Structures are given as C-alpha cells and as structure tokens.
C-alpha cells in the first residue's frame, strides 16, 4: 500500500516594511500614551508601509525568501499559490495572480482567500489538503497584509494595534510520517461579522464621497467584545490541538500564537501551564500584522534558534469573521 503523503514545510520566509511607527509617534497624533498602549497590548512599535509600497511588494519578498529557503530556483515548479490577504493589492484580480506574475511562474494555479488574522492557518490547511490528496506536489502559501492602509489614525481604540508584514511557506509532498502539517482545525461564526469590519468599499456600500467623509473605508472594531471572544477561542484552540494530537505542554517545543495582544496570549498560555519561554512573542516590535503574524513569528523564532528541524509547534489564531484556527506542525 502507498504511504500517506504529508505536507512538509520546506521553506519559510517573511518580511516587514522598513518604516517604524512607535508609540511615541502615536502620542503625537492621538490622545494616548506609551504606558497605556504597552500595558494594555504589549505593543511598543509596529512597521508600516511607506508611500508607494503595497501588500504585493511584501508578499513577493516573503515568497522569494521562502522559495530561496526551500532551494527552489525555478518558481514554475510550483503547482499552486495561495495568498491570504484582507488588504489586497487591488479589489480584483487576486493578489495571488500578481504574486505569480512577479515570481515568473506563469501557469501555476493561484487564488486568494480571506480569513483575517486566521488567514495563514486557513491557507496552510488548504495547501495541506491539495498535497495530501495528491493534487499538488509543491504549494506556496503566502499571508500578506497592510492593515495600516485601512487603519483610522483618528480612532485611538484601534489604530494602536496594527502593523504590516508578510510571511510565506513552501509546502512539499513528503512520505515521511514524522514531518509536516500534522493537524489543523478551522472555525467561523458569522454572527460576529461586525466585531471587526470595514463597512464601505464593497458591493453594498460602494465608495462615494460620503463613505470617505465618514471614514467608512477604515477598520471599525468592538475592542472589548473582540477581547472576550479572543481569550475564549485562543484557550480553546490550545486545548484542542493538544488533545487531538495527544500532546502535553512538555511535548511542544513552541507555541506560535497570532500576535493579537499580550494579555490574550498570556491567558491562553496560563490556562494550560505553558511557560512563556515556550510561547513566541514579537508583538512588541510588530503589533498585529493580521494573517502575516504567525509566519513572521515562525521565521523569527527559527532565526533565533527557538525552532529547527524536528520541532513540534502549535500555531493558533483568531480574527475577523469571526474566524479561529489552529494547527500542529512538525518542522
Ligand atoms: O485581530 C483582532 C484585532 N483586534 C483585537 O485584537 C482587539 C482586542 N481587544 C483589545 O486588545 C483591547 O480591547 C484594546 C487594547 C483594544 C482596548 O483595551 P481595553 O482594556 O479593552 O480598554 P477599553 O476599550 O475597555 O477602554 C478603557 C479605557 C476607555 O476610557 P474610559 O471610558 O474608561 O474613560 C477608553 O476610552 O481606555 C480608553 N482608551 C485609551 N486610552 C489611551 C481606549 N484606547 C485608548 C488609547 N489610549 N489608545
């Protein structure tokens, strides 16, 4: 009998823009303080795109880094490119098609998905299924967002949170049973669609002078409601991933949570007695970069020697939709 095929991560890449937006910078434009932001969120600074930069630029750079890491010199070897973004280059066509053009892999299937901060895990799961069913051998999964383009810098309750970035992984078919994406779980509850949303710019409320005047193209967020839901779901995800894969905290090398708010991350870790040394946190330097936050943190964790070949990592995320998702990965 044929051995089951697993989706192994053979390449990992990430990038952030150069421009830094610190809490001190925000103090100059809204009524806030470094102390309030740091205590309530754990964020000290974030990276944001400059004029002329875009989601596509970040996505392509992260993709190139992941392809280099996988040792793929000819991108046309890719069977599929999946891009998660809620901040696409343009409304359509898919940002994935523009990534494909930039990489020079004409003919490779390409599409976008949208699952907000859970988007990387959603995209990873789709890529995993394409590989496990034997449909594809090599898949590029990219998560790229420029939330700063949709951030209302007059709204102090949300603008402190968001940063920009991109991360990517190459998934390849492997017959090794001890390596790859071992488990994924995806959920959504559309009843909470308005907890975090952008009201205008779609087919119901297209762009108009009024939508611009009313700040309708910016993120609206019910922060307290999001917070409560996030705590519950991040805790649940950690428990579910360990239970379904028969793991205890001792078996896990690193938890890489969506970098949403240090208090939300700590509450999930505390519930299962995960020491914070086993939980990767870089929210202080990058803020909430939506779907990019997990691959960005994974790449940094590997560079810092926190994970390497053979490591068992748990990734968990929560975001607009509402969506929540988790995965267990053997590097
Ligand atoms: O991917 C998902 C993205 N969304 C999130 O991650 C949001 C999750 N929610 C949160 O992280 C937190 O709810 C926030 C950080 C957004 C807010 O923290 P909080 O502890 O829930 O504060 P709050 O909204 O209950 O506000 C407390 C006070 C209020 O003042 P009053 O009414 O008590 O006088 C706010 O007006 O803090 C005030 N406030 C601020 N003060 C200084 C709100 N934003 C700020 C600010 N600086 N930036």
């Amino acid at each position: 009998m044929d051995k089951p095929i697993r989706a192994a991560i053979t390449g990992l890449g990430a990038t952030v823009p150069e421009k830094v937006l610190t809490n001190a910078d925000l103090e100059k434009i809204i009524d806030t303080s470094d102390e309030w932001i740091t205590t309530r969120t754990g964020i000290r600074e974030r990276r944001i795109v400059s004029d002329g930069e875009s989601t596509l630029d970040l996505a392509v750079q992260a993709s190139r880094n992941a392809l280099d890491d996988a040792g793929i010199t000819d991108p046309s070897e890719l069977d599929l490119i999946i891009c998660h973004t809620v901040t696409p280059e343009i409304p359509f066509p898919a940002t994935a098609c523009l990534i494909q053009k930039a990489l020079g892999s004409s003919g490779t299937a390409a599409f976008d998905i949208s699952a907000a901060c859970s988007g990387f895990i959603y995209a990873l799961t789709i890529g995993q299924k394409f590989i496990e069913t034997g449909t594809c051998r090599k898949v590029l999964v990219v998560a790229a967002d420029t939330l700063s383009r949709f951030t209302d810098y007059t709204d102090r309750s949300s603008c402190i949170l968001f940063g920009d970035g991109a991360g990517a992984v190459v998934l390849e078919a492997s017959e090794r049973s001890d390596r790859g994406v071992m488990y994924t779980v995806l959920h959504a509850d559309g009843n909470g669609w308005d907890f975090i949303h952008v009201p205008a710019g779609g087919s119901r409320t297209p762009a108009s002078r009024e939508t611009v005047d009313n700040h309708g193209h910016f993120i609206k967020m019910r922060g307290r409601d999001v917070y409560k839901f996030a705590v519950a779901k991040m805790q649940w995800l950690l428990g579910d991933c360990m239970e379904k894969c028969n793991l205890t905290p001792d078996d896990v090398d690193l938890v890489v949570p969506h970098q949403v708010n240090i208090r939300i991350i700590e509450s999930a870790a505390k519930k299962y007695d995960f020491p914070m040394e086993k939980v990767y946190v870089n929210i202080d330097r990058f803020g909430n970069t939506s779907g990019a936050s997990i691959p960005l943190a994974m790449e940094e964790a590997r560079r810092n020697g926190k994970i390497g070949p053979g490591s068992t990592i748990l990734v968990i995320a929560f975001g607009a939709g509402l969506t929540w998702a988790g995965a267990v990965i053997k590097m």
Side-chain angles (χ1 to χ4, degrees):
M1 211 171 101
D2 286 347
K3 278 191 174 174
I5 304 169
R6 282 208 192 275
I9 294 182
T10 58
L12 177 57
T15 193
V16 288
E18 275 193 13
K19 186 172 170 185
V20 179
L21 181 70
T22 64
N23 291 350
D25 295 329
L26 288 170
E27 281 175 355
K28 291 180 200 144
I29 55 173
I30 46 164
D31 179 15
T32 192
S33 66
D34 174 49
E35 202 262 330
W36 192 96
I37 302 173
T38 311
T39 320
R40 300 280 176 138
T41 69
I43 303 168
R44 293 183 185 282
E45 60 184 43
R46 51 309 273 141
R47 300 297 188 93
I48 61 167
V49 285
S50 302
D51 290 348
E53 284 182 318
S54 69
T55 294
L56 180 63
D57 297 334
L58 300 178
V60 170
Q61 189 55 55
S63 299
R64 289 203 172 113
N65 294 349
L67 289 171
D68 280 354
D69 191 43
I72 295 179
T73 50
D74 178 4
S76 64
E77 287 174 26
L78 293 169
D79 301 307
L80 173 62
I81 299 170
I82 308 169
C83 176
H84 152 79
T85 184
V86 286
T87 54
E89 185 74 358
I90 48 177
F92 72 89
T95 301
C97 293
L98 306 178
I99 297 170
Q100 186 237 49
K101 174 179 181 288
L103 296 179
S105 58
S106 183
T108 298
F111 61 83
D112 284 0
I113 67 129
S114 165
C117 304
S118 313
F120 172 71
I121 303 175
Y122 265 70
L124 183 78
T125 305
I126 298 166
Q128 173 208 15
K129 304 301 178 199
F130 268 98
I131 285 183
E132 287 182 353
T133 55
T135 313
C136 295
R137 300 283 303 172
K138 296 186 186 185
V139 177
L140 176 67
V141 173
V142 194
D145 272 310
T146 50
L147 288 181
S148 69
R149 294 290 196 220
F150 294 82
T151 295
D152 185 347
Y153 286 102
T154 65
D155 175 7
R156 70 174 184 169
S157 65
S158 66
C159 75
I160 52 162
L161 297 173
F162 304 122
D164 303 334
V169 294
V170 175
L171 296 176
E172 292 193 51
S174 164
E175 290 191 349
R176 281 179 55 172
S177 60
D178 60 346
R179 192 172 180 209
V181 181
M182 314 304 268
Y183 171 72
T184 58
V185 56
L186 309 179
H187 283 290
D189 181 1
N191 289 308
W193 70 272
D194 62 343
F195 280 31
I196 322 165
H197 73 295
V198 175
S203 63
R204 182 163 296 276
T205 314
S208 66
R209 179 174 293 257
E210 200 188 347
T211 61
V212 172
D213 289 347
N214 293 338
H215 294 204
H217 299 274
F218 292 132
I219 297 164
K220 308 281 178 218
M221 191 183 76
R222 290 164 43 186
R224 279 259 121 202
D225 292 331
V226 176
Y227 188 92
K228 278 188 233 150
F229 208 71
V231 166
K233 293 309 176 194
M234 294 291 258
Q235 290 182 350
W236 181 86
L237 284 163
L238 206 47
D240 177 76
C241 286
M242 285 196 295
E243 186 194 322
K244 295 289 167 34
C245 295
N246 211 13
L247 299 170
T248 67
D250 285 345
D251 303 318
V252 178
D253 293 297
L254 197 65
V255 177
V256 183
H258 169 46
Q259 305 293 307
V260 59
N261 179 319
I262 188 65
R263 292 186 290 148
I264 295 171
I265 294 171
E266 282 172 352
S267 78
K270 198 166 166 215
K271 169 122 178 141
Y272 291 97
D273 289 331
F274 266 99
M276 281 307 284
E277 302 83 72
K278 277 194 172 196
V279 180
Y280 202 77
V281 175
N282 63 7
I283 193 171
D284 51 325
R285 283 164 294 124
F286 302 113
N288 176 349
T289 56
S290 182
S293 90
I294 287 179
L296 196 59
M298 281 170 62
E299 195 275 337
E300 197 182 60
R302 189 184 61 176
R303 218 163 355 105
N304 294 343
K306 293 258 184 194
I307 52 172
S311 297
T312 301
I313 65 169
L314 256 67
V315 295
I316 53 173
F318 161 89
L322 298 161
T323 55
W324 60 104
V328 177
I329 300 166
K330 202 83 165 139
M331 295 298 284

